[in-house]
Amino acid sequence: MTDLRDLLVLQQRDTAVDHLRHRRATLPERTLVTGVQEELARLRAELAQASGEERLEADVAAGEAKRRTLESRLASTSVPREAQAMSEEIDGLKARQLVLEDEQLEIMEALEPIETTVVAGQAQEVALEQRLSEGREALARAETTIDGEIVDAVAARAAAVEPIPSALLDRYERLRTKLGGVAVATLDGVRCTGCNLTLPTLELERVRGAAPDAIVECEQCGRILVL
């Protein structure tokens, strides 16, 4: 005769394993590591943008140097045709210089805050990298601890499987897959602990009047009921 209480014990062991695996996936240490990684990625993007603005300031300085070189060459030439050509080139450079000066003014206004952002950001990056390293170490320790608990729970689950007939075990596994991991429930007064619904009077009479080894399912949720 099948003792359905053995099936209830198996359900309890499986539920314990499921809870431990959920705890492992949602460890606060894991949440912390993920948060620091995201913060570090945002900071590095900001530093990359600030570095790009610094490079723009360098480009403007290079344009200024080129203009001065050409003006010096123009001042030293004594060939009229060459002077005319260089004068035209200088006119073009002056027009371009007006644009450069506007850009340079904007950059000069932004330069100090950019430098401050880069220096502060680099210090913050070092601090975040340290936090990330410490967080990963804490996560590894927490995982090791809970992995040991999972090993013990899985071993207890394996022992609970042994007395259960294969056909009943197959039915149990199908129900667990279908019903979110809980295939077996009990009665709490007139309520099924699987779906938390109250059984109708006729359903209660049917369940309570069943033979001790009969497999009875909750009419509401389809779970196996163990009295």
Side-chain angles (χ1 to χ4, degrees):
M1 184 175 71
T2 300
D3 190 342
L4 293 180
R5 287 174 296 182
D6 290 336
L7 199 62
L8 182 61
V9 170
L10 176 59
Q11 176 66 78
Q12 292 166 345
R13 298 291 182 265
D14 276 328
T15 298
V17 172
D18 290 343
H19 286 171
L20 285 169
R21 287 175 174 159
H22 176 73
R23 273 181 52 202
R24 190 185 193 281
T26 58
L27 283 168
E29 293 85 353
R30 191 182 311 284
T31 302
L32 174 63
V33 166
T34 300
V36 173
Q37 287 174 326
E38 292 173 352
E39 190 175 353
L40 194 54
R42 286 194 299 270
L43 175 62
R44 286 172 174 165
E46 292 172 1
L47 286 173
Q49 181 180 359
S51 297
E53 291 170 348
E54 286 186 318
R55 284 193 297 272
L56 179 59
E57 192 275 338
D59 291 342
V60 171
E64 173 71 10
K66 180 179 180 181
R67 182 187 64 83
R68 289 175 180 173
T69 298
L70 288 171
E71 287 180 340
S72 176
R73 287 174 55 196
L74 177 60
S76 64
T77 185
S78 59
V79 180
R81 188 174 294 178
E82 184 178 287
Q84 182 180 355
M86 293 190 69
S87 179
E88 292 173 355
E89 186 175 358
I90 288 296
D91 288 341
L93 284 171
K94 285 181 178 179
R96 171 60 178 161
Q97 187 61 27
L98 291 174
V99 176
L100 290 176
E101 286 173 354
D102 289 340
E103 293 179 357
Q104 190 172 25
L105 178 60
E106 293 177 3
I107 290 172
M108 289 302 293
E109 291 173 350
L111 182 57
E112 184 175 349
I114 290 172
E115 291 175 343
T116 301
T117 297
V118 170
V119 172
Q122 288 172 341
Q124 188 179 358
E125 182 179 22
V126 172
L128 284 173
E129 287 173 344
Q130 178 64 29
R131 282 181 59 197
L132 181 58
S133 177
E134 293 170 354
R136 283 171 171 164
E137 290 174 1
L139 175 59
R141 290 193 297 270
E143 286 178 337
T144 297
T145 298
I146 203 166
D147 284 345
E149 296 179 34
I150 290 174
V151 167
D152 292 341
V154 169
R157 194 264 182 197
V161 167
E162 292 180 2
I164 299 174
S166 59
L168 180 58
L169 182 61
D170 289 343
R171 182 175 179 178
Y172 166 82
E173 295 291 4
R174 287 195 301 272
L175 285 173
R176 255 178 57 83
T177 300
K178 177 183 177 182
L179 299 170
V182 180
V184 180
T186 60
L187 277 180
D188 180 12
V190 296
R191 180 180 59 86
C192 167
T193 59
C195 60
N196 291 315
L197 295 177
T198 299
L199 273 65
T201 301
L202 290 178
E203 176 68 4
L204 282 171
E205 291 176 357
R206 179 183 71 85
V207 170
R208 289 171 176 165
D213 60 343
I215 299 173
V216 180
E217 293 182 352
C218 171
E219 188 179 66
Q220 311 292 329
C221 65
R223 291 179 173 89
I224 297 171
L225 283 173
V226 177
L227 302 182

